[in-house]
Amino acid sequence: MIIVRTIPELRTEVRRLRQEAERQSGRAEVGFVPTMGYLHEGHASLMRQAKEHCAVTVLSIFVNPIQFGPNEDLARYPRDEERDLKLAASLGIDIVFLPSPEEMYPQPTKTTIHVREVTEPLCGASRPGHFDGVTTVVAKLFHIVKPDRAYFGMKDAQQVAIIQQMVADLNFDVAIVPCPIVREADGLALSSRNVYLSGEERKQALGLSRSLRMAEEWLEQEPGLTAEEVKSRIRQVIGEAPLADIDYVDILTFPALQALPSGEPVGQAGSDVLIALAVRFGRTRLIDNRLFSRQGGRLCSVK
Ligand code: PAF
């Protein structure tokens, strides 16, 4: 596994491995997994997908300062480079790109990418500027790595919708591959931030995935429920945990992320539907979601 920390080295190595792969097998697709490190099984699933589909795989580990707000957890964001590199090597990743903040931002950036509308609801409302930081760094990474395919987890479903929009609007020559959420056996969605949770907070955080499973059952049994009714039931389930402080519970179309017409049954939505939540436990903010898609005339949960 090649480890590089500078942009010129990364470009050289990607070019070299791409040419080598082309010579050896005629296949030269570069698969890219951008991350902020502190890797877990969710990231591993992205890396496995990239390995399966691409001749050359690149992983980036970069805690991107410009996507954190002034009161967010940039300084205490968990890091473990040694463990991350071991995991990447065990999965057969070809190149790991570990740039410093100075390498990525030698001077404060005067150019940012702002995607309109899809950035406004959900996490965009509670983390102003966050998605501009994400799209800006992802655009930079795409220019640096030049991948054919880039892999993103659906736990950040809004991030996936925004990046797909950016790629379409700005004609990036890369296929975005959304990958399913990976969960612990008890349902908790994997996140690098789960390490912040105390034992009690972690127990109470199970209300997030439980409420989403229940929402799936409600929609199956009562497709006439409106978004307001489902949201209020979800709030009730999560609210049973005394430590839970709900940031948002929302039900929107996907990937446009628009509100469903007021009073209309969720089961009659004309597009895919995303139920998304963000809940704080102490200083830790967790997100989770479930995507529903129409199959055989019925709205079904996408596994
Ligand atoms: O999802 C993440 O880990 C980050 O938002 C990303 C895409 C690596 C950009 O910093």
Side-chain angles (χ1 to χ4, degrees):
M1 188 172 77
I2 300 162
I3 299 167
V4 294
R5 294 181 192 269
T6 69
I7 295 167
E9 279 176 296
L10 188 275
R11 287 192 162 136
T12 304
E13 292 304 329
V14 173
R15 205 176 307 125
R16 190 174 67 75
L17 290 197
R18 195 196 275 275
Q19 283 165 358
E20 236 174 67
E22 204 154 30
R23 258 200 316 275
Q24 280 171 11
S25 62
R27 277 182 67 210
E29 278 204 325
V30 174
F32 178 41
V33 181
T35 77
M36 298 208 298
Y38 212 72
L39 305 176
H40 50 65
E41 195 44 42
H43 299 113
S45 76
L46 307 180
M47 291 189 262
R48 283 194 200 99
Q49 285 258 352
K51 279 298 296 178
E52 201 178 309
H53 295 125
C54 303
V56 179
T57 47
V58 181
L59 168 77
S60 68
I61 298 177
F62 177 59
V63 182
N64 174 36
I66 69 163
Q67 71 186 73
F68 288 78
N71 299 316
E72 293 185 351
D73 57 348
L74 172 62
R76 67 176 194 128
Y77 196 82
R79 294 158 214 244
D80 192 340
E81 189 177 305
E82 205 182 309
R83 195 173 58 102
D84 288 352
L85 291 175
K86 268 197 198 134
L87 178 66
S90 75
L91 293 170
I93 290 296
D94 296 305
I95 306 176
V96 183
F97 181 42
L98 278 158
S100 64
E102 296 72 35
E103 182 69 13
M104 289 299 282
Y105 302 106
Q107 59 210 14
T109 185
K110 291 185 183 156
T111 308
T112 54
I113 294 188
H114 176 67
V115 177
R116 278 188 293 120
E117 295 176 21
V118 263
T119 51
E120 282 161 23
L122 308 178
C123 292
S126 33
R127 301 185 69 188
H130 165 68
F131 286 120
D132 291 359
V134 171
T135 41
T136 302
V137 81
V138 169
K140 280 165 76 74
L141 289 166
F142 283 174
H143 287 309
I144 295 166
V145 177
K146 296 200 177 75
D148 298 286
R149 295 165 151 255
Y151 296 80
F152 291 87
M154 276 298 284
K155 188 170 81 66
D156 296 295
Q158 185 174 20
Q159 174 170 277
V160 170
I162 292 166
I163 289 170
Q164 280 175 331
Q165 187 70 49
M166 173 185 83
V167 162
D169 287 346
L170 300 182
N171 302 93
F172 278 87
D173 195 10
V174 57
I176 302 303
V177 185
C179 302
I181 299 176
V182 179
R183 297 179 182 280
E184 304 273 13
D186 60 11
L188 185 70
L190 292 191
S191 161
S192 304
R193 290 188 167 97
N194 290 351
V195 288
Y196 299 148
L197 297 170
S198 69
E200 185 52 35
E201 286 170 343
R202 196 198 170 289
K203 211 158 74 190
Q204 296 196 17
L206 293 179
L208 274 72
S209 54
R210 189 169 56 247
S211 72
L212 291 168
R213 278 197 310 276
M214 290 173 80
E216 180 186 350
E217 281 172 28
W218 299 328
L219 288 175
E220 234 175 75
Q221 287 156 18
E222 303 167 72
L225 286 172
T226 65
E228 285 317 315
E229 286 164 334
V230 178
K231 284 193 277 189
S232 139
R233 289 188 189 186
I234 291 175
R235 279 181 170 276
Q236 233 167 9
V237 173
I238 297 173
E240 283 164 15
L243 299 176
D245 173 15
I246 296 176
D247 179 357
Y248 65 73
V249 173
D250 216 342
I251 302 185
L252 301 173
T253 64
F254 190 84
L257 302 184
Q258 285 175 353
L260 304 186
S262 171
E264 185 181 291
V266 178
Q268 280 177 20
S271 68
D272 288 358
V273 167
L274 183 76
I275 305 186
L277 356 143
V279 181
R280 284 199 177 76
F281 289 87
R283 290 167 67 198
T284 310
R285 185 173 170 281
L286 300 180
I287 56 172
D288 201 349
N289 71 73
R290 200 166 263 240
L291 182 63
F292 294 82
S293 160
R294 198 157 286 287
Q295 286 157 26
R298 291 185 53 185
L299 205 58
C300 302
S301 170
V302 178
K303 297 291 178 204

